[in-house]
Amino acid sequence: MVYLLPFITVCIWGGNTIINKMASEVIEPSAMSFYRWFLAVVVLTPFCLPSVVKQWHLIKPNLSKIGCLALLGMVLNQSLGYYAGLTTTASNMALITSLVPLMSVFMSVPLLGKSISLNSIVGGIIALAGLAFMLGQGDMTFFLHSSITTGDGLMVLTSVCYAAYCVLLKRWKMPLSNWVMVYSQGALALIMLVPLWLSSEQLAPPSTSLPLIAYAGLAASVAAPWMWVKAIDLIGADSSAMFMNLMPVVTLALATALLGEKVHMYHLVGGSLVIGGVILSQVKLHKKSIQPVQNLEHV
């Protein structure tokens, strides 16, 4: 039964991609980003603020690092994801996001001093080929005569930001609990998002967006991280991390059922190559007993 924890977490994060797409139709991305973290911070404050006060002497010297993590993981990553939802499908968003573990492997070379295995190189080539096949709708050479959509490009940038966040989180190991880290980053992200929110044409969230904000702020930003950390404690980091490869599958199923998106053969073929390449890149890391980068929270 403990394996239900990482599975449910992945389902929640997969559902959050659907929320990103649905939110693009009812609320401005700038406002959605702000209200998501406003709700999460308000809910977490009674539980986390006392710990933050107690650990302030540890937080203060690391504020710049925490701020950088907040910018990458909670401002750029999520805001770009909401803007991407305006011009791309949830299916594409899910499959592009699945490249994050692979990007993390390659970013670990300059940032963590890790070496790249042959499996990682081969897996990277396979995954990129799958991504090209999917974005080109079966034509892997599409980039020679056309460009990707704005939304797909933003999702690539989103994935790069989150991969950098994951690697830097591992590089900057701080003597802080997981919840203090999440809360501190969320609070700083909220401050950074205020100017973006003020640029919105409609500052107050429309009533149709409230369920979406509740899901993103409570389920994806509070409940899912708690279950993820609990799963790591119970079954280990490696076993939990492998469940992340199920996220694009979950999202594709939800996109088909809830949004009516059609899953084409190029999605299946390209997605299989992407997921297969990512899994292959992780095999060598597992054999060397190097922990995969863990997610404290997701877009």
Side-chain angles (χ1 to χ4, degrees), residues 17-18 21 84-96 134 149 151-152 155 251-252 255 259 261-262 266-267:
T17 303
I18 306 300
K21 180 61 180 176
L86 296 171
T87 52
T88 191
T89 63
S91 301
N92 281 16
M93 293 169 73
L95 291 173
I96 295 173
M134 182 198 68
T149 66
D152 291 335
M155 283 309 301
T251 307
L252 285 174
L259 301 180
E261 292 185 3
K262 293 183 179 180
Y266 58 79
H267 282 123

Side-chain angles (χ1 to χ4, degrees), residues 106-283:
F106 284 90
M107 287 186 181
S108 294
V109 176
L111 295 177
L112 299 180
K114 303 291 185 181
S115 59
I116 296 182
S117 66
L118 179 60
N119 277 3
S120 295
I121 295 174
V122 175
I125 294 173
I126 293 173
L128 290 176
L131 182 63
F133 189 87
M134 182 198 68
L135 295 180
Q137 300 183 3
D139 178 14
M140 295 180 65
T141 62
F142 80 99
F143 54 86
L144 297 176
H145 49 78
S146 61
S147 57
I148 64 175
T149 66
T150 301
D152 291 335
L154 288 175
M155 283 309 301
V156 172
L157 289 177
T158 296
S159 300
V160 170
C161 288
Y162 196 67
Y165 168 84
C166 293
V167 175
L168 289 175
L169 192 65
K170 196 176 183 72
R171 177 185 174 91
W172 294 333
K173 290 184 178 180
M174 304 175 214
L176 303 171
S177 67
N178 288 325
W179 280 117
V180 168
M181 281 290 290
V182 171
Y183 180 78
S184 300
Q185 291 173 50
L188 289 175
L190 186 62
I191 296 172
M192 296 179 198
L193 287 168
V194 168
L196 191 64
W197 169 60
L198 291 175
S199 70
S200 305
E201 294 183 4
Q202 183 179 353
L203 296 181
S207 58
T208 51
S209 70
L210 296 181
L212 307 180
I213 294 173
Y215 185 99
L218 298 178
S221 301
V222 177
W226 179 85
M227 287 189 288
W228 187 251
V229 171
K230 191 68 175 177
I232 292 173
D233 289 339
L234 292 175
I235 66 175
D238 291 347
S239 297
S240 298
M242 292 306 293
F243 277 84
M244 294 300 296
N245 296 309
L246 293 175
M247 190 158 22
V249 179
V250 171
T251 307
L252 285 174
L254 291 174
T256 303
L258 301 178
L259 301 180
E261 292 185 3
K262 293 183 179 180
V263 178
H264 300 279
M265 184 56 66
Y266 58 79
H267 282 123
L268 298 177
V269 174
S272 298
L273 289 172
V274 169
I275 296 171
V278 171
I279 293 176
L280 180 61
S281 72
Q282 293 176 316
V283 170

